[in-house]
Amino acid sequence: MPSTLQRLPAIPASKKAAPHASAEVRTLIDDLIAEQKTLQTPIARYSDYHDTEPDLAPHYRTLIPLSKPGDGEQYAFEVSLDRCTGCKACVSACHSLNGLDDEEAWRDVGMIHGGRKTPGWQQTITTACHHCEDPGCMNGCPVGAYEKDSDTGIVRHLDDQCIGCSYCILKCPFDVPKYSKKRGIVRKCDMCHQRLAEGEAPACVQSCPTEAIRIVKVKTGTSAVAPDFLPGAPDPTITLPTTRYVGRDVPESAVAADRESLVPEHAHWPLVLMLMLTQAGVGMLTGGLGNVVTTILANVLFFAGMGASILHLGQPLKAWRFFLGLRTSWLSREILAFSMFAPIPMVLAALPFVPDFPYKDLITRVTTLSALPIGLIAVFTSVMIYHDTHRTSWRFRLTAGRFFGTVATFASLGNLLAHPSPLATLLFAIGVIAKLIPEVRIVHLALDRNAEWSSDLHTARIQWGPLRLIYDSRVLLAIAAIAFSLLNPWIALPLLLAAELFERQLFFQSVHAPKMPGSFGPKRAH
């Protein structure tokens, strides 16, 4: 059987001997190599097209609407999945045109795969801001640093208004807003609205070599979100994202490629200290009412926490405008509630040292009676801040148990310090153990190897894995606090503070933060 690589018919000897005779001897390999030279990648074809067509403005206008949205419409991204190659040209163009910092990106490229039912299926996903119909970032902002354009539907961030609290990052289920350390504020994609206003395509649209991204007009209201938004992405009913993913059917079993990655989230140390110390202060004050020492200690704890909260703001001098978000933002309500509570511990600490004067007893009685309800209201607003992010691990029952549990344990410790007795010691031990039980139950999930993936399982595996040392320290310190309370409750105080500090660190670092699909590698904490 002749070989497919057989040479062409031999040249006669007479012709072969001729010194100036020329004949081309080609093989199949030569033909294949020549054909390969005519094949181009999408990037190469894109480059050639730009070289041959110097003015491509008319072409790019085919990728954006020719008219502004009408009534009941807004602009939205449309992504053709069958065209996306994951080249990240859109990421690079967005970064370059918007002058982003080195570690800043407003558009990301991730991946989803078919899950257990269709393990061989996978798809790259390019994502940016979804310009939601009901934006979580805008609703959560305490200072009104977001606006949704009434004509185009584009959700814009107002940099000059931002205080850098990063609450919008927690509120957005798609991880869209990004914190800029250089500027101390949050920034995000604005769909290159200035280019659109002039009839030019956004950077990501114009740079995609396969034209996988375009701008379209979509209906608003109940039809703003596609019923099958994108399997493997966060729940679209939270904010009603408007991005359309078309061109390829995605299996219902599809999941984010980085779903199983066990990388701790940002610790948010100022928030760790703020939450733990303010709740400890509220508890110590209400548990040790009437005792000068515990009241002063409560002041130290509470105001240390309030001071730590300022460190979380990139632009703290602008925080006075918190009242702008009172209608929608739990963060604004928390600031108001703690501002109302702040004078109470100061007054209660100062009154014993103030000479008698008219209405002193009345003021003492009013501040004493108001300490507990206003303190609990303030802690409740803290609970709602995190519950309102729709992160499963921060759901109301678990978060309220942690936060009010801290208040209760320090209230029982304050009572023990002010009025030592076997009953007070028993109440303290019960409070600490009661707070530990839900935490241990969650982590117990990590021992079940057959458990289906869930946010709680993710939290359990992170605490049992990368954060195991912190988890063990939290439990051991809590038990040690109980043990030492039998000997000297003042020794139990620093042990309990350390235990609660680790508990609050676990609260932030082990949470499952919803986001758009990432790569197979570990995701980077913001």
Side-chain angles (χ1 to χ4, degrees), residues 134-142 167-174 235 237-239 325-334 379-397 399-400 403 507 511 514:
D134 185 25
C137 55
M138 184 175 73
N139 295 334
C141 182
Y167 187 46
C168 56
I169 297 177
L170 301 182
K171 281 281 290 179
C172 176
F174 307 106
D235 182 3
T237 62
I238 298 174
T239 60
L326 285 172
R327 188 174 62 86
T328 60
S329 175
W330 279 105
L331 181 54
S332 289
R333 297 163 187 168
E334 182 195 47
V379 175
F380 174 77
T381 61
S382 294
V383 172
M384 290 305 300
I385 281 177
Y386 298 95
H387 168 71
D388 200 40
T389 64
H390 296 277
R391 299 187 178 194
T392 305
S393 305
W394 289 350
R395 58 189 179 272
F396 183 84
R397 179 174 59 84
T399 304
F403 289 9
F507 174 80
V511 65

Side-chain angles (χ1 to χ4, degrees), residues 130-167:
H130 298 301
H131 300 280
C132 303
E133 177 71 8
D134 185 25
C137 55
M138 184 175 73
N139 295 334
C141 182
V143 292
Y146 284 90
E147 67 175 11
K148 185 173 177 67
D149 189 270
S150 58
D151 293 330
T152 63
I154 295 174
V155 179
R156 295 176 53 200
H157 180 262
L158 309 177
D159 293 359
D160 58 337
Q161 302 278 23
C162 182
I163 63 174
C165 68
S166 298
Y167 187 46

Side-chain angles (χ1 to χ4, degrees), residues 236 450 462:
N450 297 319
I462 282 203

Side-chain angles (χ1 to χ4, degrees), residues 55-66 198-201 214:
D55 183 10
L56 288 173
H59 166 70
Y60 288 124
R61 290 193 180 99
T62 65
L63 302 177
I64 62 175
L66 297 179
E198 298 299 326
E200 297 183 17
R214 64 176 61 234

